[in-house]
Structure formats: structure tokens, C-alpha cells
Amino acid sequence: MKLNRVAVLGGGPGGLYAARLIKLASPDCEVVVHEQGVPDQTFGFGVGLAARTQRRLAEADPASLDDILASAWSHDMRMTVGERSAGMSVSSLVAVGRAELLRVLQRHAEDAGVKLEFGVRRTADDLDADLVIAADGVGSATRSAGAFGEDVEVGSGWYLWAGVDTALPHALFAPERTEHGVFVTHAYPYAADRSTFLVETDPATLQAAGFDREGPADSSDEEALDYLSDVFADHLDGHRLIGNRTRWLQFRTVRCSRWHSERTVLLGDAAHTAHYSVGSGTKLAMEDAIALVNALDGSDLDTALTEYEVARRPAVERIQDIAERSRRWWETFPERLDLPVEQLLVAYMSRAGNVPLDRFAAGTPDVVNAALQQWAGESPPQGQPWPTADGERQERDTVEPAGQPCATADTGRQQGTTADSLAEWVLSRSLRPSTPGQDPEVDDPTVGPRGFDARVVADDPSALDATVLDLGSDARPSGSEQVVEDAVRRGERVMDTIWLTGADDRSSVLTRLEVAERLRRRTPALVVVAGPHACREDFADGLAADRTHLVALR
């Protein structure tokens, strides 16, 4: 298929990268990027690129990646709660300033022969082109005006992007309590003198602090920046937060039933978004560009754009599912501040069902051992590698459709269980009427006078005189915030024992564990989650993260 003219709406990383790749593949094609902003005036601070994304960019265009990495900054990660902190190595993750990333991609696009137009707002109808690539962001006017079947879901939490003019020593997750409520930062360095400093909070805290007000979209909330500079002073080493059109926002998850219409195709945030807590916006856009250019080898445009969507949609939806569960976890983060920081870090890593406990233990054994000691009152056996799938500990990188059973889901875990697995050790720990490490109390209103010899109980709610809540089956792999909230409201009426059951697919099991965690923290009830034997590793992760008291396997 020969394309004579290609127009790109939006000069962000995805649009620029797509333009360069198309020009490299088809030197005779005229490629123009239309960006309504002006050079060197960009919204945002740093951008993260994980190792897997770096490998894909290296395969597609090593020259531009080399220049990106020359300006990148690597870092480890720490979670800090009060006086305690726990860390992990993430040296394969690098960050680069968004402005610097755009400068690199603009230069490489122009070197390939791409024309860049700045400062003029264009629409698809304005452009005389064989193909229009709409990379015009989360607020895409192209998407809203076209036949793409858009669905935009707004989260309940509030966040703002800020920066600080120093390189933090590591990426940081840290909550701070104030008289108004809890604010949490996700921060990371991306240059020798710059760090991203994202802050989020819940609606009640935002209102109590007086930040629930409208302001000019093209300016920063200086009052909030000043207030938060004081709140996070212990982490800023005398520096103050800086803004760049920094205002309080609610995250919008964008989904589209189709990504192309006639000659126009959506790319990056215009087609889909994933919550910032999985750090994937730029990654998804640039990987979209690679897939789109590969598909343009097809015989005709409609077939090529269909193949692009078929190739990319599974991976995108997988990330969106992980991100959706991650978003809900972060929006309820303050409820977990009673946990020791090591156990909180385990809960963070397993929040979306994407990083198995055994995989995390392989890379960060000190944190996992401390967390399990805090949870169980004893440490797991030392000096042995916990078995995992095919000897490698990898994140799950495939889609699990709603209804996918645990036994066939690509979980990144061992297939089947062994007696010496970490999951089996967790499941076999006792639940006693005491805090781990303390003498048993005579009676405990939650677990009773005797407790339980193991965390697995018989699949018989009547034996515990439990109130059964059947959550049914998830309609999509990420579950639904409405389903979670409805189940929590039902469970909050129960004061003795709550038995959560439902379908046996993995997504439904993960949703029950999510509901269990909220009930575990909001009610005095004993919480039991029931599900299939094949999901026992997920149940072990949930127990270690303190999401439920007990599980029942069937």
C-alpha cells in the first residue's frame, strides 16, 4: 500500500514517533505533524520508560532510543510511612524529562524528513491526507467528534502533577497526615536538577483543605503548591514544589469501541488511557506507533488499520485492566496506613494481581521476609528459591478475558503447586486471637477464643455461621468500581462473619479480594473469601497483603 501524504494531529511522543517511523519506512511519503502548542512549552514533568518498552523501542528505532537514554535518569524506589521505609531496586526503569523527550523526538522526526507545524489548531477535516493519525491526547477533539464509540470513566480521587528543582535520591511513595486528611505522593527524579512530584488525595480531604474550587485551566494552583510544599517538607530537603499548569484533576479512563473511522486512526491517549500509577501513557503511545507502522504494510488502508487495532488492543486492554485495579487501590490507600511499611509494599506490588508474591520475593527477599514476619509472627524458610513458572519470574503481559479461569490464565506463576512453594507456606499459617508475636488473648471478637490452625477453611459458610455475599461474575477483567462499592455497602451491615463468594474466574476472585480488603478495614467482622483451588496463589498474595482473614478453596 502506497501512502502519499500522512498527517499527524498532536506533537506528543506518540505522534512524533509515529511520524518518524512512517517516514523511515516510506521516504517518498509526505509526513506532517500538526501541534497546536509551541515548541518548548509542554505540560508535564518526567516520563518513565520500563525495560520492556526500551527493548521494543530499540528494535523499532535504536538511534532515537540512544538519544533518549542519554538524557535519562535511573532510580530505585522507596515507600516511606512515618519514620519507617522499605525499598526495592527498579534500576531497569528510567525517567526522562518530557520536554527533553519531545526535543529528541522532534529532532529525529525532522532528521527523517518529517515537517513540524506548531501553533495552529487543525482538525481531521482540514487535512488533505491519505491517512490522519489522531494523537491529540486524552481530551481528543478528533475522538469526540468521530464515530469511535468513546467511553470515558472518571475516577473518584483527585491528583495534581507538580515538580521540584532537585533530583530526589530515589522514587518515593509517601503518605502524609494533615489536619484535613491524608495526601500521598508518587515522586521520582528524571534529571540532575528535577523530579516529578505527583500528589493525590480523596474528595473529603480535598474539600476540607479548601481546594475543591475552579481556577483558570492555563495556570497553576499556587495555594495548593505552597500548602503541599509544607506538607511534604521532610521529603523536599528545603525545596518547594513548582507548577506547570498544575491543577487538581480526576483521572479519566478512556476506552473506544473502535480505533479508526475511514482514513482517521486514534493513537495513544486519544484511543485509550491507563492510570498513572502503572506509568504507561507514553509507553502505550509509542508502542501504538510501532504497531501502526508495521500494519501499514497491508494491501489497503482499512485492512491495515483493522490489523493495527487487532494487534494492539489486547495489550492495551491488559494494561488498562491492571491500571483500573491499581487506581482503585490508590484511591483507598489511606485505609492501609496501619500496616507496617514492608507489608504495605507487598500490598502495593500485588495490588492488581500482576506481580506474584514469589516473584517479588525473588527480587526483594528482605522486604518480603520482613512483611511475612509481621503478618504471620514467623519468617518463611530461608535459603531456597521459591518455585515459579518455567524457572523465570516475569510479569504477566497478556490479556485475560473476563471469565478466564486461574488454571489457564497466564499468571507468571508456577503451573500447579508444590509443598515447598511460598503460597503453600502462607496458606498454612495459623490465625490466632492475638497480634503476631504476642501471647494469645483469652478471647478476640474477630477470630474467637481458639483461632484457626491454617488460613484455609472448609468451603462451608454454615460452619462459621457466616453471612454469604455472592458477588457473581465480573463483566470485564478489571472488575467494576460500582460492583465493588455495592458489595462493600452490603458487607458493612455484617458484624460477625462475612463469606464472599461468586464465579470461579480469576478476575472475579481478584474483585472479591478487593472487596474483602475494604471490609477487613471498615468492619469488625471475620472475612472469608471463597474460590477455586486453582487460584490459591492469588489467595496467598491476598492473605500476605492483609486483604482477608481466611480463604475457602473448592
Side-chain angles (χ1 to χ4, degrees):
M1 176 179 55
K2 180 175 174 56
L3 295 173
N4 295 313
R5 289 182 297 278
V6 173
V8 180
L9 288 171
L16 290 167
Y17 199 59
R20 171 174 165 83
L21 295 183
I22 290 173
K23 191 65 176 177
L24 290 176
S26 304
D28 294 335
C29 180
E30 178 186 278
V31 183
V32 183
V33 175
H34 304 274
E35 167 55 44
Q36 67 181 14
V38 297
D40 300 323
Q41 289 187 13
T42 181
F43 173 76
F45 295 93
V47 172
L49 295 174
R52 184 177 293 137
T53 300
Q54 294 172 44
R55 290 194 295 270
R56 290 169 180 164
L57 300 184
E59 293 169 359
D61 184 26
S64 62
L65 178 64
D66 286 345
D67 281 356
I68 292 169
L69 294 180
S71 303
W73 195 268
S74 63
H75 53 264
D76 288 336
M77 192 208 89
R78 298 199 71 78
M79 180 174 284
T80 299
V81 180
E83 299 298 319
R84 296 205 60 184
S85 65
M88 56 183 286
S89 173
V90 287
S91 56
S92 60
L93 174 66
V94 301
V96 61
R98 179 175 170 83
E100 180 60 28
L101 175 62
L102 291 177
R103 281 191 288 270
V104 169
L105 293 176
Q106 287 166 7
R107 184 174 69 251
H108 278 268
E110 289 184 311
D111 288 348
V114 174
K115 298 178 182 178
L116 305 182
E117 177 192 75
F118 292 96
V120 180
R121 184 187 295 271
R122 304 287 189 185
T123 69
D125 291 340
D126 296 333
L127 302 171
D128 178 18
D130 302 317
L131 171 65
V132 177
I133 300 172
D136 48 348
V138 62
S140 171
T142 310
R143 181 188 69 237
S144 298
F148 300 101
E150 71 170 351
D151 175 62
V152 181
E153 182 178 353
V154 180
S156 61
W158 291 85
Y159 70 97
L160 59 72
W161 290 100
V164 59
D165 58 353
T166 187
L168 297 172
H170 40 248
L172 174 70
F173 296 122
E176 291 292 340
R177 292 187 184 274
T178 73
E179 60 182 319
H180 304 115
V182 176
F183 293 89
V184 184
T185 184
H186 312 218
Y188 57 87
Y190 63 84
D193 60 350
R194 285 289 186 274
S195 299
T196 293
F197 210 92
L198 182 146
V199 179
E200 64 180 320
T201 193
D202 58 88
T205 301
L206 188 84
Q207 183 177 28
F211 298 138
D212 58 333
R213 60 189 187 282
E214 294 289 336
D218 59 351
S219 65
S220 293
D221 187 337
E222 297 296 341
E223 184 179 344
L225 289 171
D226 191 53
Y227 172 90
L228 294 170
S229 294
D230 293 336
V231 169
F232 290 101
D234 289 346
H235 307 290
L236 294 175
D237 193 27
H239 296 265
R240 307 292 288 179
L241 295 181
I242 55 179
N244 180 355
R245 287 181 283 172
T246 296
R247 305 208 62 81
W248 291 103
L249 304 167
Q250 289 177 294
F251 190 81
R252 291 174 288 170
T253 300
V254 174
R255 297 181 177 87
C256 293
S257 60
R258 58 178 307 185
W259 293 357
H260 78 278
S261 176
E262 298 179 348
R263 62 173 185 149
T264 302
V265 63
L266 304 178
L267 183 144
D269 283 353
H272 47 71
T273 61
H275 192 251
Y276 51 77
S277 61
V278 300
S280 58
T282 300
K283 156 199 162 65
L284 289 176
M286 296 180 76
E287 291 179 356
D288 280 358
I290 295 170
L292 175 60
V293 175
N294 288 340
L296 291 176
D297 284 337
S299 57
D300 64 87
L301 186 60
D302 187 69
T303 299
L305 299 184
T306 299
E307 289 177 354
Y308 153 67
E309 182 174 343
V310 168
R312 282 296 291 157
R313 185 178 284 276
V316 167
E317 290 184 347
R318 171 67 190 144
I319 292 293
Q320 285 188 305
D321 292 336
I322 294 170
E324 179 66 9
R325 290 192 185 277
S326 180
R327 178 186 67 79
R328 297 198 298 262
W329 191 88
W330 277 111
E331 289 182 352
T332 56
F333 180 82
E335 297 184 25
R336 304 173 182 86
L337 295 185
D338 62 310
L339 290 176
V341 68
E342 292 85 359
Q343 196 175 0
L344 188 57
L345 189 54
V346 167
Y348 160 74
M349 291 300 295
S350 62
R351 68 196 185 281
N354 190 47
V355 180
L357 183 63
D358 52 12
R359 176 181 177 272
F360 188 40
T364 316
D366 292 346
V367 169
V368 173
N369 287 339
L372 293 177
Q373 168 69 38
Q374 293 154 355
W375 172 73
E378 58 181 304
S379 297
Q382 303 295 304
Q384 66 181 84
W386 298 107
T388 57
D390 62 24
E392 295 186 4
R393 306 172 194 274
Q394 299 182 3
E395 290 187 27
R396 296 157 56 244
D397 192 36
T398 57
V399 172
E400 291 167 26
Q404 185 82 353
C406 290
T408 58
D410 179 7
T411 63
R413 306 176 186 273
Q414 63 185 52
Q415 299 303 305
T417 56
T418 62
D420 60 349
S421 72
L422 187 54
E424 292 305 310
W425 184 89
V426 169
L427 293 168
S428 65
R429 296 309 92 194
S430 62
L431 176 63
R432 299 299 182 196
S434 67
T435 301
Q438 297 180 353
D439 292 333
E441 299 172 1
V442 174
D443 195 2
D444 182 281
T446 301
V447 302
R450 176 179 173 274
F452 298 85
D453 293 332
R455 296 298 180 118
V456 181
V457 297
D459 186 24
D460 180 10
S462 65
L464 296 179
D465 194 24
T467 299
V468 178
L469 300 182
D470 190 333
L471 275 59
S473 177
D474 280 350
R476 66 187 189 200
S478 61
S480 160
E481 184 160 15
Q482 188 62 51
V483 168
V484 170
E485 291 292 345
D486 288 348
V488 170
R489 279 192 288 270
R490 291 160 58 197
E492 285 176 333
R493 305 187 191 107
V494 180
M495 295 293 108
D496 41 28
T497 301
I498 303 170
W499 189 282
L500 298 173
T501 188
D504 284 350
D505 62 279
R506 185 168 187 262
S507 61
S508 297
V509 168
L510 292 176
T511 295
R512 293 201 290 279
L513 286 167
E514 184 178 345
V515 172
E517 181 178 28
R518 299 194 193 188
L519 294 174
R520 167 91 170 76
R521 308 208 168 280
R522 299 179 189 179
T523 75
L526 180 73
V527 182
V528 186
V529 180
H533 184 281
C535 286
R536 61 194 299 116
E537 288 90 354
D538 289 305
F539 286 127
D541 291 355
L543 287 164
D546 214 31
R547 294 190 175 98
T548 184
H549 293 102
L550 300 167
V551 300
L553 303 179
R554 54 186 181 235

